[in-house]
């Protein structure tokens, strides 16, 4: 596995096109590999995420089973003469993860649930729209994903019952774009919600967390969702 970071030059026309089209950016990421990655079986896959540090600093992170070549992205949306990308083997970091370790984390995800108005109606996938429900989406998946979001011991600032978790839900974005169906070549409209979670976690199951970091969490992985990264906790 490899972890790659690429800074996007937001002043370039090609960068603006990629930043406004998850479908185009997904295609550009997948074009970084000579052999198209196989995503069957639920194992390691290509994951990517955009981090908007500021209006002029946007970072693309990619986790992948094979080492990528981002030359085309540098030419289209980078600094061809002075810029590049950084790729590091991910396995040494993954091997360091141990039970009860504490890490800060960032995750961009597509928090959805399935609903139906009556028993005869098929279920429909619907996005969670409030920060409270978006947080609940993450908390319901944390144990199976191998971690627990750290809880604070002091009372909640809002006066409500329940734990106060060390996580912030922010940067919600509602995306709508066209996707071409390979079977009939028709364009279908795709709508999804992306949100970012920043917080601290404690490792419960190192193997399960390693799977989360390399296979992703939740839906819409092709469109910049599901990639969790860790950093040392202060």
């Amino acid at each position: 596995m490899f972890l790659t970071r690429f800074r996007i030059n937001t002043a370039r026309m090609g960068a603006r096109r990629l930043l406004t089209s998850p479908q185009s950016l997904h295609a550009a990421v997948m074009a970084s590999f000579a052999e198209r990655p196989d995503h069957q079986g639920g194992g390691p896959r290509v994951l990517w995420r955009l981090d908007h540090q500021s209006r002029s600093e946007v970072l693309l992170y990619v986790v992948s089973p094979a080492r990528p070549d981002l030359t085309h992205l540098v030419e289209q949306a980078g600094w061809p003469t002075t810029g590049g990308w950084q790729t590091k083997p991910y396995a040494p970091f993954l091997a360091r993860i141990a039970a009860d370790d504490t890490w800060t984390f960032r995750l961009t995800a597509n928090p959805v649930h399935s609903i139906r108005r009556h028993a005869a109606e098929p279920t429909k996938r619907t996005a969670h729209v409030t920060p409270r429900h978006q947080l609940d989406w993450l908390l319901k998946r944390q144990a199976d994903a191998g971690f627990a979001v750290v809880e604070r011991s002091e009372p909640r600032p809002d006066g409500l019952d329940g734990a106060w978790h060390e996580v912030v839900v922010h940067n919600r974005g509602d995306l709508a774009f066209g996707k071409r169906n390979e079977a009939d070549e028709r364009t279908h409209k795709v709508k999804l919600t992306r949100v970012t979670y920043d917080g601290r976690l404690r490792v419960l199951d190192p193997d399960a967390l390693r799977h989360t970091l390399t296979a992703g969490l939740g839906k819409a992985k092709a469109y910049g969702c599901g990639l969790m990264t860790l950093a040392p906790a202060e």
Side-chain angles (χ1 to χ4, degrees):
M1 296 297 297
F2 296 89
L3 174 64
T4 299
R5 186 180 73 169
F6 170 68
R7 184 179 175 188
I8 294 177
N9 184 349
T10 57
R12 304 195 67 178
M13 185 69 71
R16 292 195 288 270
R17 184 177 67 84
L18 292 174
L19 292 174
T20 56
S21 172
Q23 181 76 356
S24 296
L25 187 49
H26 167 67
V29 169
M30 299 305 289
S32 303
F33 306 96
E35 300 292 334
R36 187 173 181 85
D38 183 6
H39 290 160
Q40 302 300 319
R45 58 174 294 153
V46 176
L47 302 168
W48 61 270
R49 187 184 76 218
L50 285 175
D51 283 5
H52 294 260
Q53 308 293 92
S54 65
R55 290 189 63 181
S56 61
E57 185 178 6
V58 180
L59 301 176
L60 170 66
Y61 287 92
V62 180
V63 166
S64 56
R67 182 183 290 271
D69 183 342
L70 273 59
T71 302
H72 61 297
L73 277 173
V74 174
E75 295 171 346
Q76 181 181 2
W79 285 267
T81 61
T82 61
W85 68 92
Q86 300 82 43
T87 296
K88 296 181 179 180
Y90 207 20
F93 174 80
L94 296 174
R96 289 172 47 198
I97 297 174
D100 292 325
D101 282 352
T102 301
W103 299 87
T104 62
F105 72 90
R106 172 168 288 180
L107 165 70
T108 293
N110 171 225
V112 295
H113 61 131
S114 296
I115 63 171
R116 58 183 176 184
R117 291 170 294 185
H118 50 79
E121 183 181 60
T123 58
K124 178 181 179 181
R125 189 178 295 168
T126 304
H128 289 297
V129 297
T130 67
R132 178 71 256 177
H133 289 113
Q134 291 163 351
L135 175 57
D136 287 344
W137 176 91
L138 178 64
L139 297 179
K140 289 177 181 178
R141 287 157 179 79
Q142 60 180 347
D144 289 341
F147 66 90
V149 178
V150 173
E151 298 180 6
R152 293 186 177 181
S153 57
E154 60 264 34
R156 286 173 51 143
D158 53 17
L160 299 177
D161 294 332
W164 179 14
H165 294 89
E166 292 191 26
V167 60
V168 176
V169 184
H170 62 106
N171 280 1
R172 171 184 166 172
D174 295 321
L175 308 177
F177 54 93
K179 177 184 178 183
R180 176 165 292 184
N181 191 318
E182 296 181 358
D184 57 18
E185 296 189 351
R186 295 171 58 189
T187 299
H188 303 272
K189 193 168 187 178
V190 177
K191 294 182 178 181
L192 62 91
T193 295
R194 287 194 310 209
V195 299
T196 297
Y197 303 84
D198 281 315
R200 291 206 309 154
L201 61 78
R202 181 172 59 86
V203 180
L204 299 180
D205 183 335
D207 288 336
L209 182 55
R210 280 188 277 267
H211 181 268
T212 299
L213 297 176
T214 56
L217 185 63
K219 305 293 185 181
K221 297 182 179 72
Y223 305 120
C225 299
L227 174 56
M228 173 183 280
T229 53
L230 305 181
E234 294 182 358

